[in-house]
Amino acid sequence: EDQVTQSPEALRLQEGESSSLNCSYTVSGLRGLFWYRQDPGKGPEFLFTLYSAGEEKEKERLKATLTKKESFLHITAPKPEDSATYLCAVQASGNNRLAFGKGNQVVVIP
Amino acid sequence: DGGITQSPKYLFRKEGQNVTLSCEQNLNHDAMYWYRQDPGQGLRLIYYSQIVNDFQKGDIAEGYSVSREKKESFPLTVTSAQKNPTAFYLCASSIGRNNYGYTFGSGTRLTVV
């Protein structure tokens, strides 16, 4: 069974204080790892897809990296508008379903 | 603009009542999914459909039913057999078997009154 564990569950950051979110996974053949952002009361919004170990992708203050066992979402110099829950999901080869972690809830304090 | 529309945004259900949540997409995606989200539990798959007139149970299908009569539409019915239906429900779609991620709707919050 595919499993995704995200840590920490919750994180409070001062504006400008960089940090990283962790997504550890076990999957029988990784087809893709996905990061989403979710604001309260809204649907998740797609951020990144990573396909192979060593791959990195960036978008504004966010950078996602991937190894064979985990992914990191680095938040550089965060702003209050980066406050959200970040969801990690994996897709196994030959499977159309995504398995989601419980999320990292991030609050950035001005 | 292409996207997924869920309606209503808020829904209230009385005990013993069936309710239907709407999900419509104009992305020409083959696959559609229904997830339930509860605080601290993440997203759990209820049902999914990879093609019209076909659907499969997910991890928590009991007390729910779906139909897929049109490519664009994948309504979810929460039946009276679902004993704890209060949750945030999310619909998603993807291109198909070579899945490159989901596009999500904005969600429906269902509350039992």
Side-chain angles (χ1 to χ4, degrees), chain A residues 31 34 36 38 41-44 46 49 51 87 91 95-98 100-102, chain B residues 9 31 33 35 37 40 45 50 59 88 90 96-97 99-102 104-106:
Chain A
R31 171 176 281 178
F34 304 86
Y36 289 85
Q38 186 176 24
K42 296 188 177 181
F46 172 78
T49 307
Y51 296 105
L87 300 175
Q91 183 191 15
N95 191 336
N96 210 25
R97 298 170 48 166
L98 296 187
F100 284 85
K102 295 181 179 181
Chain B
K9 188 172 177 65
Y33 311 81
Y35 281 87
Q37 188 174 35
L45 183 65
Q50 297 185 18
D59 301 318
F88 190 52
L90 286 162
R97 289 196 174 275
N99 180 20
Y100 295 106
Y102 295 174
F104 282 91
S106 57

Side-chain angles (χ1 to χ4, degrees), chain A residues 35-49:
Chain A
W35 282 99
Y36 289 85
R37 170 193 169 124
Q38 186 176 24
D39 292 306
K42 296 188 177 181
E45 176 186 334
F46 172 78
L47 291 174
F48 304 109
T49 307

Side-chain angles (χ1 to χ4, degrees), chain B residues 3-48:
Chain B
I4 298 181
T5 301
Q6 289 188 243
S7 61
K9 188 172 177 65
Y10 300 97
L11 186 58
F12 298 90
R13 192 194 94 166
K14 295 181 180 179
E15 296 283 349
Q17 189 179 47
N18 293 354
V19 292
T20 298
L21 284 61
S22 171
C23 178
E24 303 277 336
Q25 55 100 357
N26 60 2
L27 298 165
N28 199 32
H29 284 174
D30 289 317
M32 297 186 74
Y33 311 81
W34 274 106
Y35 281 87
R36 170 178 172 145
Q37 188 174 35
D38 297 280
Q41 291 210 40
L43 274 67
R44 292 184 290 168
L45 183 65
I46 304 172
Y47 268 98
Y48 64 105

Side-chain angles (χ1 to χ4, degrees), chain A residues 15 37 78-84 106-110:
Chain A
E15 184 172 1
R37 170 193 169 124
K79 298 182 177 181
E81 52 262 43
D82 295 321
S83 298
V106 175
V107 175
V108 182
I109 304 164

Side-chain angles (χ1 to χ4, degrees), chain B residues 23-105:
Chain B
C23 178
E24 303 277 336
Q25 55 100 357
N26 60 2
L27 298 165
N28 199 32
H29 284 174
D30 289 317
M32 297 186 74
Y33 311 81
W34 274 106
Y35 281 87
R36 170 178 172 145
Q37 188 174 35
D38 297 280
Q41 291 210 40
L43 274 67
R44 292 184 290 168
L45 183 65
I46 304 172
Y47 268 98
Y48 64 105
S49 167
Q50 297 185 18
I51 196 169
V52 174
N53 292 322
D54 186 45
F55 49 83
Q56 288 79 41
K57 292 182 179 180
D59 301 318
I60 55 164
E62 185 175 352
Y64 300 97
S65 66
V66 293
S67 64
R68 186 87 187 277
E69 298 176 359
K70 299 186 301 181
K71 187 176 185 177
E72 301 80 15
S73 180
F74 192 41
L76 174 73
T77 296
V78 184
T79 74
S80 57
Q82 173 48 242
K83 298 307 179 186
N84 185 24
T86 295
F88 190 52
Y89 290 86
L90 286 162
C91 179
S93 71
S94 68
I95 292 173
R97 289 196 174 275
N98 294 321
N99 180 20
Y100 295 106
Y102 295 174
T103 299
F104 282 91

